[in-house]
Amino acid sequence: MKTQHVLLLGAGGNVSRHAVPKLVEAGHKVTALVRNPDHAKQLVEDGATAVVRDLTTLDEEGWARLLTPFDVVGWSAGAGGGSAERTYAVDRDAAMGMIDALEELGEFAPFTVMVSYAGAAEASTEDDGGSWYAYVESKKAVDQRLLASDLPYQILGPTRLTDDPSQGITLLGDQRDPASETPRELVADVIVESVGRGEPFSRNPLDFEGGSGKVSEI
């Protein structure tokens, strides 16, 4: 794997706390963006360059300036529940703003690794006006936008996340067990593999769960 200059968005989250040190250990140069400055110290200790920024404040020019220096951008950002308004602002509008800027960059756009969830592009749920409906609609819109684009990207679709240790991976077909689980550490391992390749896997989106297969053999 070649060394990549990586921008990881949402680096204060529970997937990123695994992904940042793993990316650094793999030899990549990592810039980790967080909204909460309290998370910056740990990121620096893990070997990353920390940037404190609220993604919802960036316009297209701001996005272009942020993205241009990097080989790969990883999206692991999210509102994490709370209000529907905040969910739309982060999970949909900020992500769409990033994609707008990537398309403007054209051939200079970094490879994008989008952390989503299994089946997001076709998912639906009852419109109760709450944050879960906002999340489902936001992730569906963003994944569909990427799938319709000519950008270089990889969508990752884990099932329900847990804090269990990663033992390996199983790729999913069209049938999914509602009880399926995926360790956050495994998602981080797949991010590292995707960053190292710098090009899509043979499946895109890549829907997966915890299993026994080797991530390097995806």
Side-chain angles (χ1 to χ4, degrees), residues 86-137:
R86 177 71 184 168
T87 300
Y88 282 125
V90 178
D91 293 88
R92 183 190 64 190
D93 299 343
M96 290 294 202
M98 180 187 72
I99 295 170
D100 286 342
L102 289 167
E103 290 185 329
E104 284 297 315
L105 289 171
E107 63 179 305
F108 301 107
F111 179 65
T112 299
V113 180
M114 173 62 68
V115 179
S116 184
Y117 68 91
E122 294 87 34
S124 61
T125 192
E126 181 183 357
D127 182 2
D128 61 359
S131 61
W132 175 246
Y133 175 77
Y135 179 76
V136 169
E137 289 299 300

Side-chain angles (χ1 to χ4, degrees), residues 24 38 48 68 117 121 132 154 172 176 206 215 218:
V24 172
D38 293 341
T68 298
Y117 68 91
W132 175 246
Q154 175 65 54
L172 298 175
R176 302 183 182 93
L206 184 84
V215 172
I218 295 173

Side-chain angles (χ1 to χ4, degrees), residues 146-200:
L146 276 176
L147 289 164
S149 78
D150 294 323
L151 291 168
Y153 68 89
Q154 175 65 54
I155 297 172
L156 304 183
T159 56
R160 189 173 69 83
L161 299 177
T162 73
D163 288 322
D164 296 331
S166 175
Q167 305 290 335
I169 189 170
T170 294
L171 301 185
L172 298 175
D174 293 334
Q175 300 300 316
R176 302 183 182 93
D177 183 347
S180 173
E181 295 180 340
T182 306
R184 289 180 174 87
E185 185 183 10
L186 173 58
V187 181
D189 289 336
V190 179
I191 290 172
V192 175
E193 181 68 22
S194 186
V195 166
R197 294 190 190 190
E199 61 184 21

